[in-house]
Amino acid sequence: MRVLQVAAEATPFAKTGGLGDVVSGLSRFLGRAGHDARVFLPLYAHLARERDRYTPVDFIQGVPVRLGPWRFTYSVLTTPLPQSDVHAYFIDCPELFGHGEIYQGDREDSLRFALLTVAAFECAQRMGWTPDILHCHDWHTALAPVYRRAFLDWDRLFRRTKTVLTIHNLGFQGIVDLSRLSDLGLDGHAKLVDLSPGNLNFLRNGILHADALTTVSRTYAREIQTPAQGFGLDPLLRARGDRLVGIVNGVDYDEWSPETDPRIPHHYSARDLSGKSAMKGALLQGIGMEETAAPVLGVVSRLTAQKGFDLSFEVLPELLARRDLRVVALGSGESRFEEFFRRLHEQFPGRAWFYRGFNNELAHWIEAGADLFLMPSRFEPCGLNQMYSLRYGTPPVVHKTGGLADTVEPFDASTGQGTGFVFEHFDAQGFRWALGQALDVFLQRETWERLMRNGMAKDFSWDRQGEEYVELYRRLAG
């Protein structure tokens, strides 16, 4: 099958969260499975500084494009995704992408990502390549189904192309004022666009027009059809519920596996866990703590309200005061969460430690060296860290929501079944209960090792998860 992926991010070229990992992981899987997948991305400023690493596409250079009153010129560069024969194509439009960060605010980004979307269509046309599936991701490229319908007026190349929109996080919708309709070249196609809320909502219109909708876990697909997590789009999602499916994200085990991880000094497996203890010692020594048999609680996260660490404000100081344990946290975000972990570091020297920011190597060390992984998200469309933790034998403590509910099975010490610790009610009492359960089981060494091996046996690889996308593509394309 021929699959055109258009997105704002793809690892390693552009990444701010899980979106980039999914786009690249799914595309690499499609390539391995024999499909013709092509990924279209902006050539952001940080990529343009190293443009010599990419190959110009000689027949797509200096192409003029019109969006309403705007005139731009773009060229295309390409390079394979790492460890893959799948090519990424970069839309090089310095006027829009040649400065600033990946994201610059919805108003500015609306024009930037509209150009990306239109250019992806034009590039396919110039390549003489008809995609069976056009797969767009999140609000940034959610107008692709709208543009596809508009383009049918003048180009039959996409007549049989089906569109798939994946919602990675419904909380971000790309809402701009009505004047942007002309700027995006859609004023002549106003009949295709729903402006009933009094604004132009990229995601809303993508949901209306896509042939199929996916989101990144089965539970999240149900949750977003409710007022509690629908962010105002739940009536529309319920109306299109027969087109909406949940597919759990895949994990790249080439990068996230304790047996082969190049970023950690000690390797281990479910058969031989000795390297896990060595990694715990290396982690503690590396951050200036004494080695200990006490449990180490790991955190690797964006520090935002979504991630639920306000539950920690009461629970973690209380646990550190009365139980022998360690907390090792890595992250950045809202000041109130950063300040909490900083104070924890100061209040419990040698027992709590905080690194502000992101460090990929340290993230791997925490996954491998911690005994428990904390992920008490208020809501979580899918999440990847809990799946990394399972593979590293680091049982996660999670709130029963979204992808966390789909990937972490509550552990039952009496039967030895389950992979982690799950609390249902999003409050401090629930989080406290789950942590208490985890710390009690940790004292039972044989039972704990059974729990670790249960999680390490789980397979969330793209070779499994990607097949669900292929089945969807085939149903759509007939």
Side-chain angles (χ1 to χ4, degrees):
M1 297 190 70
R2 296 178 297 276
V3 182
L4 188 161
Q5 302 255 16
V6 57
E9 302 181 30
T11 306
F13 308 113
K15 173 181 173 174
T16 65
L19 169 61
D21 291 334
V22 173
V23 172
S24 58
L26 174 57
S27 299
R28 279 197 294 265
F29 162 76
L30 292 171
R32 289 195 304 272
H35 303 285
D36 184 357
R38 307 183 187 187
V39 184
F40 287 82
L41 304 161
L43 189 77
Y44 295 112
H46 70 275
L47 298 174
R49 288 192 287 270
E50 300 179 334
R51 66 174 58 246
D52 291 345
R53 297 174 56 185
Y54 311 114
T55 302
V57 178
D58 55 12
F59 58 91
I60 314 180
Q61 297 294 307
V63 178
V65 63
R66 175 179 175 177
L67 281 177
W70 300 93
R71 304 291 187 275
F72 301 105
T73 300
Y74 70 89
S75 300
V76 175
L77 307 175
T78 186
T79 193
L81 288 171
Q83 302 173 324
S84 171
D85 293 331
V86 173
H87 272 255
Y89 294 89
F90 300 92
I91 305 303
D92 181 13
C93 180
E95 188 174 353
L96 292 180
F97 301 121
H99 57 276
E101 303 298 325
I102 293 176
Y103 300 118
Q104 299 179 12
D106 285 4
R107 180 169 176 80
E108 293 78 9
D109 287 342
S110 63
L111 185 60
R112 298 167 76 228
F113 294 126
L115 176 93
L116 166 67
T117 306
V118 170
F121 280 102
E122 290 194 351
C123 289
Q125 183 190 41
R126 288 171 178 268
M127 293 172 177
W129 182 72
T130 304
D132 299 301
I133 301 293
L134 190 152
H135 193 157
C136 53
H137 297 264
D138 266 349
W139 78 262
H140 320 107
T141 55
L143 287 185
V146 179
Y147 282 121
R148 174 195 163 276
R149 292 181 184 274
F151 286 180
L152 289 180
D153 293 344
W154 58 266
D155 193 333
R156 291 185 172 272
L157 183 71
F158 308 105
R159 182 173 58 86
R160 295 176 60 86
T161 299
K162 301 298 184 181
T163 54
V164 177
L165 167 60
T166 294
I167 301 167
H168 296 261
N169 192 328
L170 190 67
F172 301 97
Q173 299 179 9
I175 299 173
V176 295
D177 59 68
L178 297 180
S179 65
R180 220 46 171 164
L181 188 67
S182 173
D183 292 338
L184 303 179
L186 288 171
D187 50 346
H189 303 277
K191 64 182 184 296
L192 295 175
V193 185
D194 178 13
L195 305 174
S196 60
N199 54 46
L200 173 59
N201 182 317
F202 275 50
L203 194 58
R204 179 183 181 86
N205 280 280
I207 292 169
L208 278 167
H209 288 283
D211 295 303
L213 305 168
T214 77
T215 191
V216 288
S217 69
R218 295 180 298 278
T219 297
Y220 191 60
R222 295 192 297 270
E223 290 173 341
I224 61 176
Q225 296 181 64
T226 68
Q229 294 199 41
F231 288 93
L233 295 181
D234 51 288
L236 176 58
L237 289 163
R238 288 194 297 273
R240 300 221 69 202
D242 62 331
R243 298 297 182 110
L244 172 63
V245 297
I247 302 175
V248 171
N249 285 339
V251 172
D252 183 354
Y253 288 134
D254 289 335
E255 179 171 357
W256 293 96
S257 174
E259 296 175 276
T260 58
D261 189 338
R263 293 182 174 86
I264 61 175
H266 305 288
H267 296 108
Y268 57 95
S269 67
R271 294 182 301 277
D272 179 4
L273 292 169
S274 58
K276 176 73 171 174
S277 299
M279 270 309 308
K280 179 177 179 177
L283 172 65
L284 293 174
Q285 185 178 32
I287 62 175
M289 285 187 180
E290 294 183 2
E291 293 189 39
T292 179
V296 175
L297 283 54
V299 172
V300 178
S301 182
R302 288 183 293 113
L303 299 179
T304 64
Q306 175 198 334
K307 297 301 180 179
F309 284 103
D310 43 324
L311 301 185
S312 300
F313 292 172
E314 176 183 337
V315 174
L316 286 186
E318 172 188 290
L319 283 175
L320 282 163
R322 64 183 181 85
R323 299 190 70 150
D324 187 16
L325 56 87
R326 306 291 182 269
V327 174
V328 178
L330 161 68
S332 63
E334 295 179 28
S335 58
R336 58 180 174 138
F337 297 114
E338 292 184 359
E339 179 63 17
F340 165 71
F341 281 108
R342 187 189 65 78
R343 287 200 314 269
L344 208 65
H345 184 133
E346 294 175 351
Q347 186 179 355
F348 298 96
R351 302 183 63 216
W353 187 85
F354 174 52
Y355 179 99
R356 180 184 177 277
F358 183 72
N359 181 309
N360 194 32
E361 181 172 304
L362 180 56
H364 283 249
W365 278 55
I366 292 174
E367 290 284 8
D371 294 301
L372 281 165
F373 192 85
L374 307 188
M375 203 166 174
S377 302
R378 187 181 306 270
F379 68 93
E380 191 66 64
C382 180
L384 291 170
N385 277 100
Q386 83 279 11
M387 292 187 278
Y388 301 156
S389 300
L390 292 172
R391 178 50 67 108
Y392 281 79
T394 309
V397 177
V398 303
H399 175 219
K400 187 177 181 179
T401 185
L404 302 179
D406 290 349
T407 56
V408 182
E409 303 162 23
F411 183 66
D412 184 341
S414 66
T415 64
Q417 301 300 306
T419 59
F421 302 91
V422 183
F423 61 100
E424 294 197 17
H425 301 291
F426 185 78
D427 54 33
Q429 182 177 348
F431 187 39
R432 184 185 292 107
W433 173 85
L435 276 172
Q437 293 286 308
L439 295 173
D440 288 345
V441 174
F442 181 79
L443 299 175
Q444 307 167 40
R445 195 62 212 170
E446 187 175 328
T447 303
W448 188 261
E449 290 189 359
R450 170 75 176 270
L451 168 61
M452 292 169 66
R453 291 189 170 97
N454 288 352
M456 296 175 82
K458 294 296 178 182
D459 182 3
F460 294 104
S461 66
W462 274 112
D463 288 339
R464 286 178 62 92
Q465 307 306 114
E467 283 294 343
E468 295 191 42
Y469 280 105
V470 172
E471 290 176 14
L472 173 64
Y473 294 163
R474 285 179 173 148
R475 288 199 302 272
L476 288 175

